[in-house]
Amino acid sequence: MCFDVKRLYALAIGPVLMLMGLVSNGVWASESERSTVNMTPGVTEVGQQIYDLHMLILWICTIIGLLVFGVMFYSIYAHRKSKGAKASSFHESTTVEIAWTVVPFFILIAMAVPATKTLIEVYSFDDADLDIMVTGYQWKWKYEYLIDEGERVSFFSNLSTPQSEISNTEPKGEHYLREVDEPLVIPVNAKVRFLVTANDVIHSWWVPELAVKKDAIPGFINEAWTKPLKEGVYRGQCAELCGKDHGFMPIVVNVVSQDEYETWLASKQVEAAQVKQLMAQTFTFDELVERGKGVYERSCLACHGAKGEGGVGNAIAGSTIVTGEISTHLDIGINGVPGTAMQAFGGQLNDVDMAAVITYQRNAFGNNMGDIVQPIDVFNHKKG
Amino acid sequence: MLQLSKNPSIDTAVKLAGVTVVMFAFVFVVMVPLYDVLCDALGINGKTSGEAYTAVDAQVDTGRRIKIQFIASNNAGMPWEFGATVPMMKVHPGAVNDTLFFAKNPMPHAMVAQAVPSISPARATEYFHKTECFCFNQQPLDGESSAQMPLQFIVDQDLPADIKTITLSYTLFDVTDMAKSAIAKR
Amino acid sequence: MGDHHHGPAKGLTRWITTTNHKDIGSMYLWFSFAMFILGGAFAMIIRAELFQPGLQLVEPSFFNQMTTMHGLIMVFGAIMPSFVGLANWMIPMMIGAPDMALPRMNNLSFWILPPSFLMLASTLFMDGGAPQAGWTFYAPLSTTYAPPSVTFFIFSIHLLGASSIMGSINIIATVMNLRAPGMTYMKMPLFVWTWLITAFLLVAVMPVLAGAVTMMLMDVHFGTSFFSAAGGGDPVLFQHVFWFFGHPEVYIIILPAFGVVSQIIPTFSRKRLFGYDSMVYATASIAFLSFIVWAHHMFTVGMPVAGELFFMYATMLIAVPTGVKVFNWVTTMWRGSLTFETPMMFSIGFLILFTIGGFTGLMLSIAPVDFQYHDSYFVVAHFHYVMVAGAIFSMSAAIYYWLPKWCGRMYNEKMGQLHFWVSFVGFNLAFFPQHFVGLAGMPRRIPDYALQFTDFNMMSSIGAFIYGAAQILFLYNVIATIVSGKPTSEEKTWEGAEGLEWTIPTPAPYHTFETPPAVK
């Protein structure tokens, strides 16, 4: 050989071990600056176990790879025809075949043992301090705190990055595409159990730093759990293709102290009681239409005509907006159209009246959409 | 061997056509009941046996309490109000428990719903016996009317010791189209 | 029998009616190349959009159509037909047979493909657009929430499946019945072995895919509820049925590639393949194991822990026979007499990069860690390493290796090397960074991403464009060779080549081995 392989290995061992040590301690994955090249150990014990397992397999594969490629590269160098190498004729060896079947098999067993242990730990679901139901929608998440006494708190969590940032007319904020209007709030050092399901298609709830990823299947519930050990804000994304805005339904989890959590929960329960009042008022179609007629005559007729034929305002009869998506229609009713005479009625009409007039418009003047808007829908739309 | 035609090509063609017909029939006549039997027996897909749970030795295990959580949600496009009357119950294995779910159809026309149950943890499914459940049948409701729907269940005494909470979730689906004949009868 | 040695028919009719395995092989290869370019174009659109954060070029819904069609066209239109084409050209010659066992069915198998892909591509122009649920088209996104084109997509898959099944029956019948006297199974070239095993895999699982899409069709049009909880069904059922097909499918993709590399490395090492018997057993083991690992694609779906453990162990096991093969290839090179013509470069590239893909596969098999990898770019990186640097590099190697035999002209070695190096650099630049963004938390199938993923995405896009450009170079190389390459009539194009295909004239006559050769 033209170089001393033994010396080379001896020289390399030191730095390699040091590198292993550095990397294994997660120096490339320190919490202060989240890694851009490696998995995060996150803020849970299970997450740390998963990370350690990942690094273990990675190192085993790296070492085996270096060995195999080392042999290959050496061969490419030393057994070149241009260097005068003459081909040997050996072409089989049962001993060798057995050896390199059995040895990898034992390496696999060594990997399987910690893997099994970690998997069983991930599957230990009971004894949670808090249960939260997570429902995937196209394209947002709904969280419901399954509290046994008092109001059950539930809210939607939507992407809050403005469209202008996405369409590149505004500079992008620090948490571009990973920020929401209503984050999930959970207490630190408590075991939280998630019951994950979906409203329409399959989604998946993934927060890397909490080491949770669970598919959300419509009609079925799946369990997952986490026990965060450090306060902070942890971000994740939907991890199952669910339609056009799959990339735009992030998850934000605020892990706060027990006190902060209880304060937040209490305020949410007050809100929930309000909502429940409104929800208790589920009106029938006829009630809404009748009420809506009155609202229309008081608030809309002047510009939109007694028969919905328009005037100062656009026609309601046959309008593409009024016969289109409810959310767009509601949006205009609530927020108006800036720069035109159409005011924002959201502040002027209460949720019951708004629901009534939208329902009326969609079903009067020959529109006959057959659909219905409840006060709770208006409430939710306003919240985003 | 059975020869169906003198012409060997036609003979083969006829036999192959026959196999196709038989396989098609197999799907509808054999597989459907087979699926039902197997899913029932193995408790797959959250199906717990609809038959009366023979509570012969049903001694109530008063030393143990299991928390049963109820969740109710609508699938996309389902406008009904739907929920549990109580959010949870603490029950003894072996005891018969009753609770009610409420449903309200706010639309002006009659609709039919199907409640689909799902249990967590999944391995608790075979120990959770619903002896009476609104999820066994499709639920028709006239326009603008409501109903109270009963659920009766027993938690098996053999429930593994490490399970302390069982979550029962119902998802309500709109099956009006699927059940048009049921409406026609009303 | 009559004298029919007047050469092939003239004009278009020749290609429509041909039953000649060489003609059909060529049609499969050209068709697959066209599909490769089409699928590659979709990839360029994807990487162009992902070059920077923000939505610059396409709407999210169109982006989903691009990712879906890229996957479908590459898997079903580029890789699979290309290896079938190779099988058609090479298997009869390698076993000393005059043609495939069922030549007319062979013609049908090919001609189903162009109309089927025309139909699939036409969905891009339909109302609602092309399929957009990913190449794995999970229900109910692909049923209840699918655009109208889903029906045409299902029809297209049925046709493709029929083509594959017929092709596989043909290969099995050919290999079992038409080997020259003296060529026992354990004397067959490894390429023939890998295709024989692949053909059995295809016959076993293509019908399962047909079942899955038929159930979809029923759910969409005939009111059934296979995949809908409303009627007592389960969306996860779709995943089980699909992946029962889908996992053997990826071995269907790679096994012939293993066969190609097993032919090329011995040639350029001037040394017999090490451990032939082991290689056969390893291939068979991989094929068998491929049937019992499917749910490793479903680790996050909510399976009971016993199921997760089983699938984890079974998947890890596949590393053993795969490792055996890698060791055997390296040992073939060891103490050989190596030269590095283009086919060998691609084969060595395969060896290194496929092994890296294999390692990430092993990492993915560890179920609890897969909870962090699943549906992230780490998976995307893994399968591109094994499918592109695996299957496509192997196909490139095969073309350079056998093209001289097919057309009697040598390719330009410098151009071949250029194609290799640009591909190698472009490929790694495109896909290695994807490991990083995946680990750092970037999900799959998204048209826009958070800012921390910017740098590696930009790198990846540049690499992808470089790799794409290299394939245009490939096309040029192939055409330039056929049209104006240096003529060669060497029977044994490569000094170290062994096998029956190297005993016939170059270029290969229209009909070969009309009398079976004697095999010792």
Side-chain angles (χ1 to χ4, degrees):
Chain A
M1 301 192 184
C2 52
F3 56 87
D4 190 338
V5 178
K6 287 201 192 83
R7 266 197 78 202
L8 183 65
Y9 278 152
L11 284 171
I13 282 283
V16 166
L17 280 176
M18 210 180 82
L19 199 60
M20 278 172 73
L22 278 175
V23 177
S24 300
N25 283 329
V27 79
W28 284 351
S30 59
E31 283 157 35
S32 50
E33 45 152 75
R34 283 159 186 124
S35 174
T36 52
V37 300
N38 202 356
M39 186 187 292
T40 174
V43 297
T44 66
E45 218 196 284
V46 165
Q48 181 71 51
Q49 274 187 43
I50 288 176
Y51 173 82
D52 290 340
L53 202 49
H54 156 74
M55 291 308 288
L56 173 69
I57 313 294
L58 178 57
W59 276 116
I60 293 177
C61 290
T62 307
I63 292 171
I64 297 178
L66 287 174
L67 285 170
V68 173
F69 296 149
V71 170
M72 196 196 310
F73 291 144
Y74 178 77
S75 184
I76 289 174
Y77 166 75
H79 301 141
R80 284 171 290 157
K81 181 177 177 197
S82 61
K83 206 171 165 274
K86 288 275 172 285
S88 301
S89 60
F90 66 87
H91 59 269
E92 62 188 352
S93 161
T94 317
T95 322
V96 146
E97 300 284 356
I98 292 178
W100 63 39
T101 305
V102 166
V103 171
F105 184 73
F106 283 117
I107 296 178
L108 288 178
I109 294 188
M111 293 181 193
V113 170
T116 306
K117 196 168 152 292
T118 305
L119 186 67
I120 290 178
E121 171 121 8
V122 171
Y123 265 77
S124 62
F125 292 121
D126 221 21
D127 287 0
D129 299 308
L130 170 63
D131 291 327
I132 298 180
M133 183 166 169
V134 176
T135 309
Y137 280 68
Q138 282 180 321
W139 288 278
K140 56 198 154 195
W141 295 97
K142 176 170 140 194
Y143 301 117
E144 187 173 346
Y145 288 67
L146 302 176
I147 304 161
D148 296 331
E149 286 121 27
E151 295 297 333
R152 274 189 173 174
V153 172
S154 104
F155 53 88
F156 282 92
S157 185
N158 300 278
L159 173 72
S160 62
T161 301
Q163 193 59 40
S164 55
E165 286 183 30
I166 298 177
S167 52
N168 307 304
T169 53
E170 293 279 330
K172 296 172 174 51
E174 185 194 353
H175 297 297
Y176 178 72
L177 292 193
R178 286 189 157 203
E179 51 199 348
V180 299
D181 51 4
E182 291 276 358
L184 185 70
V185 179
I186 58 178
V188 72
N189 290 315
K191 184 165 177 176
V192 180
R193 181 164 152 258
F194 298 108
L195 292 156
V196 185
T197 185
N199 178 257
D200 32 48
V201 297
I202 300 181
H203 301 264
S204 187
W205 201 77
W206 181 31
V207 182
E209 282 163 302
L210 300 180
V212 173
K213 180 186 287 143
K214 218 29 171 251
D215 285 2
I217 320 261
F220 298 91
I221 46 171
N222 267 336
E223 265 186 314
W225 67 271
T226 188
K227 187 171 175 182
L229 302 174
K230 191 160 176 266
E231 292 177 37
V233 180
Y234 306 112
R235 302 169 195 272
Q237 290 185 248
C238 177
E240 185 61 63
L241 180 63
C242 53
K244 73 177 175 78
D245 283 343
H246 162 61
F248 302 98
M249 45 183 291
I251 296 147
V252 176
V253 182
N254 277 7
V255 176
V256 299
S257 68
Q258 185 67 28
D259 286 337
E260 257 183 86
Y261 165 72
E262 279 168 14
T263 316
W264 171 88
L265 188 66
S267 73
K268 279 292 182 193
Q269 284 181 307
V270 166
E271 233 184 271
Q274 280 182 319
V275 168
K276 199 168 170 202
Q277 262 194 331
L278 279 174
M279 256 184 83
Q281 298 174 20
T282 306
F283 295 87
T284 68
F285 182 79
D286 289 334
E287 283 171 332
L288 284 165
V289 165
E290 202 197 295
R291 188 186 182 119
K293 185 161 185 284
V295 176
Y296 183 86
E297 281 158 6
R298 282 195 310 275
S299 310
C300 319
L301 189 149
C303 295
H304 288 290
K307 295 197 204 73
E309 72 275 19
V312 170
N314 293 338
I316 299 289
S319 147
T320 44
I321 290 169
V322 174
T323 57
E325 290 233 17
I326 289 183
S327 56
T328 318
H329 186 187
L330 251 183
D331 213 56
I332 293 185
I334 292 172
N335 300 313
V337 182
T340 70
M342 178 61 197
Q343 310 154 33
F345 283 89
Q348 300 179 28
L349 296 175
N350 67 45
D351 291 348
V352 183
D353 284 339
M354 177 64 76
V357 76
I358 298 286
T359 305
Y360 174 73
Q361 288 181 7
R362 298 178 75 79
N363 290 285
F365 313 127
N367 286 334
N368 297 331
M369 290 304 293
D371 48 27
I372 193 173
V373 178
Q374 297 285 357
I376 186 62
D377 298 326
V378 176
F379 181 89
N380 285 332
H381 187 98
K382 279 182 183 169
K383 284 174 87 273
Chain B
M1 283 288 283
L2 178 67
Q3 195 186 34
L4 295 165
S5 162
K6 285 231 179 69
N7 182 332
S9 301
I10 296 190
D11 186 49
T12 307
V14 169
K15 282 176 181 159
L16 286 175
V19 169
T20 311
V21 169
V22 166
M23 292 308 289
F24 216 71
F26 182 79
V27 166
F28 290 101
V29 173
V30 176
M31 292 307 286
V32 171
L34 201 63
Y35 261 78
D36 277 338
V37 165
L38 280 172
C39 289
D40 204 32
L42 299 174
I44 296 173
N45 198 22
K47 280 180 167 50
T48 52
S49 181
E51 294 133 31
Y53 167 57
T54 41
V56 174
D57 298 293
Q59 279 176 336
V60 176
D61 180 359
T62 48
R64 194 177 167 194
R65 277 165 88 81
I66 310 293
K67 175 172 154 186
I68 313 292
Q69 253 177 349
F70 298 114
I71 303 178
S73 45
N74 283 331
N75 191 251
M78 187 51 165
W80 289 20
E81 253 188 73
F82 174 56
T85 49
V86 293
M88 69 107 181
M89 292 171 77
K90 289 217 164 89
V91 307
H92 297 298
V96 175
N97 308 287
D98 289 278
T99 187
L100 289 167
F101 279 70
F102 65 86
K104 182 173 170 187
N105 175 4
M107 300 303 282
H109 49 266
M111 291 177 66
V112 183
Q114 175 70 56
V116 174
S118 182
I119 290 183
S120 194
R123 61 198 169 99
T125 311
E126 55 182 303
Y127 302 100
F128 190 93
H129 307 284
K130 300 194 220 74
T131 46
E132 191 195 326
C133 180
F134 57 91
C135 59
F136 292 159
N137 308 103
Q138 293 177 341
Q139 297 295 324
L141 263 185
D142 283 335
E144 292 159 17
S145 53
S146 54
Q148 299 255 303
M149 305 185 293
L151 166 68
Q152 187 178 81
F153 64 92
I154 302 169
V155 176
D156 199 310
Q157 296 107 308
D158 292 332
L159 181 75
D162 58 311
I163 298 180
K164 301 184 185 64
T165 308
I166 297 179
T167 307
L168 173 60
S169 158
Y170 285 101
T171 310
L172 205 64
F173 287 84
D174 178 5
V175 296
T176 314
D177 288 335
M178 275 197 241
K180 281 221 160 69
S181 52
I183 300 234
K185 285 186 195 127
R186 287 184 76 82
Chain C
M1 238 335 189
D3 176 27
H4 54 272
H5 293 293
H6 45 61
K10 300 273 182 273
L12 204 57
T13 324
R14 165 182 172 182
W15 299 101
I16 297 176
T17 59
T18 181
T19 54
N20 180 290
H21 73 102
K22 301 183 177 74
D23 276 356
I24 293 174
S26 298
M27 288 197 290
Y28 266 109
L29 287 167
W30 280 115
F31 172 79
S32 68
F33 209 136
M35 291 292 106
F36 184 52
I37 301 294
L38 182 63
F42 295 158
M44 296 299 105
I45 295 176
I46 293 169
R47 287 309 329 169
E49 179 57 63
L50 291 174
F51 182 64
Q52 281 183 305
L55 288 177
Q56 286 86 8
L57 297 170
V58 297
E59 295 279 312
S61 144
F62 186 72
F63 183 88
N64 289 344
Q65 293 173 47
M66 288 293 97
T67 50
T68 304
M69 296 295 275
H70 165 73
L72 289 170
I73 292 202
M74 285 305 201
V75 169
F76 292 111
I79 299 193
M80 286 172 80
S82 70
F83 278 103
V84 174
L86 209 57
N88 262 292
W89 251 108
M90 302 312 300
I91 290 182
M93 296 198 301
M94 283 175 163
I95 62 175
D99 205 303
M100 297 291 286
L102 302 161
R104 277 173 290 178
M105 188 167 82
N106 207 8
N107 174 296
L108 179 64
S109 300
F110 171 73
W111 278 109
I112 287 180
L113 296 184
S116 168
F117 278 97
L118 215 56
M119 187 182 344
L120 185 62
S122 76
T123 59
L124 280 162
F125 304 102
M126 292 181 186
D127 225 12
Q132 42 202 269
W135 93 276
T136 53
F137 52 101
Y138 285 178
L141 182 62
S142 60
T143 50
T144 320
Y145 294 82
S149 61
V150 69
T151 311
F152 297 94
F153 159 72
I154 290 172
F155 193 15
S156 172
I157 296 278
H158 269 298
L159 290 174
L160 299 175
S163 164
S164 284
I165 293 172
M166 289 191 288
S168 304
I169 291 173
N170 219 339
I171 287 170
I172 294 173
T174 307
V175 173
M176 289 182 85
N177 292 294
L178 300 187
R179 280 163 294 127
M183 181 168 288
T184 57
Y185 282 110
M186 294 309 263
K187 286 212 182 104
M188 295 195 308
L190 211 62
F191 178 71
V192 180
W193 257 117
T194 54
W195 246 119
L196 179 63
I197 292 173
T198 303
F200 275 106
L201 282 178
L202 271 163
V203 166
V205 299
M206 268 323 208
V208 178
L209 179 64
V213 299
T214 307
M215 287 194 271
M216 271 173 73
L217 191 72
M218 296 285 127
D219 270 16
V220 171
H221 289 292
F222 298 108
T224 56
S225 305
F226 289 105
F227 308 127
S228 161
D234 189 345
V236 176
L237 175 66
F238 178 85
Q239 297 187 31
H240 280 292
V241 182
F242 177 83
W243 284 116
F244 191 79
F245 150 78
H247 194 80
E249 166 68 10
V250 307
Y251 288 99
I252 287 167
I253 287 174
I254 203 66
L255 253 37
F258 286 167
V260 165
V261 161
S262 301
Q263 301 296 136
I264 295 180
I265 289 184
T267 297
F268 295 96
S269 308
R270 290 160 184 75
K271 195 159 153 283
R272 277 176 63 177
L273 180 68
F274 187 85
Y276 174 92
D277 287 20
S278 271
M279 293 295 258
V280 173
Y281 299 140
T283 309
S285 312
I286 292 172
F288 167 72
L289 282 170
S290 75
F291 280 104
I292 57 171
V293 298
W294 76 88
H296 66 231
H297 300 272
M298 299 162 56
F299 277 145
T300 59
V301 103
M303 256 193 292
V305 69
E308 302 246 334
L309 285 173
F310 168 76
F311 285 109
M312 173 169 85
Y313 299 147
T315 310
M316 289 170 78
L317 265 183
I318 297 199
V320 174
T322 314
V324 164
K325 293 182 86 78
V326 171
F327 300 143
N328 276 284
W329 286 317
V330 174
T331 311
T332 305
M333 289 166 71
W334 186 264
R335 297 241 180 94
S337 177
L338 305 172
T339 53
F340 303 99
E341 289 87 330
T342 306
M344 184 60 162
M345 292 303 284
F346 273 107
S347 301
I348 294 176
F350 167 98
L351 208 43
I352 299 170
L353 300 175
F354 174 80
T355 302
I356 293 178
F359 284 138
T360 53
L362 182 59
M363 292 167 77
L364 286 161
S365 73
I366 309 294
V369 196
D370 185 60
F371 291 157
Q372 298 279 38
Y373 301 140
H374 175 70
D375 248 283
S376 77
Y377 259 85
F378 191 78
V379 179
V380 178
H382 159 72
F383 65 68
H384 282 97
Y385 263 80
V386 288
M387 286 209 287
V388 179
I392 307 262
F393 270 37
S394 154
M395 176 53 63
S396 305
I399 302 288
Y400 284 107
Y401 188 58
W402 281 305
L403 190 57
K405 172 62 64 178
W406 296 339
C407 70
R409 291 177 184 267
M410 273 308 285
Y411 64 87
N412 182 311
E413 185 59 48
K414 283 209 171 61
M415 294 296 274
Q417 294 279 332
L418 184 65
H419 171 215
F420 170 74
W421 281 110
V422 179
S423 292
F424 187 84
V425 168
F427 170 83
N428 279 294
L429 193 59
F431 293 106
F432 204 76
Q434 293 188 358
H435 293 109
F436 300 140
V437 292
L439 290 177
M442 180 177 172
R444 278 175 82 167
R445 295 168 166 166
I446 56 175
D448 192 6
Y449 46 80
L451 300 179
Q452 65 261 37
F453 305 127
T454 306
D455 293 341
F456 287 130
N457 267 290
M458 197 174 273
M459 245 186 257
S460 175
S461 291
I462 294 174
F465 296 141
I466 293 174
Y467 182 78
Q471 305 326 302
I472 306 299
L473 179 60
F474 185 30
L475 183 61
Y476 171 81
N477 281 353
V478 172
I479 294 179
T481 306
I482 294 174
V483 165
S484 59
K486 180 158 166 277
T488 170
S489 53
E490 286 283 345
E491 272 182 12
K492 209 167 161 184
T493 311
W494 313 104
E495 182 191 9
E498 298 292 336
L500 286 174
E501 77 266 31
W502 305 110
T503 64
I504 55 170
T506 302
Y510 199 56
H511 297 290
T512 45
F513 292 123
E514 288 179 296
T515 353
V519 174
K520 289 158 232 93

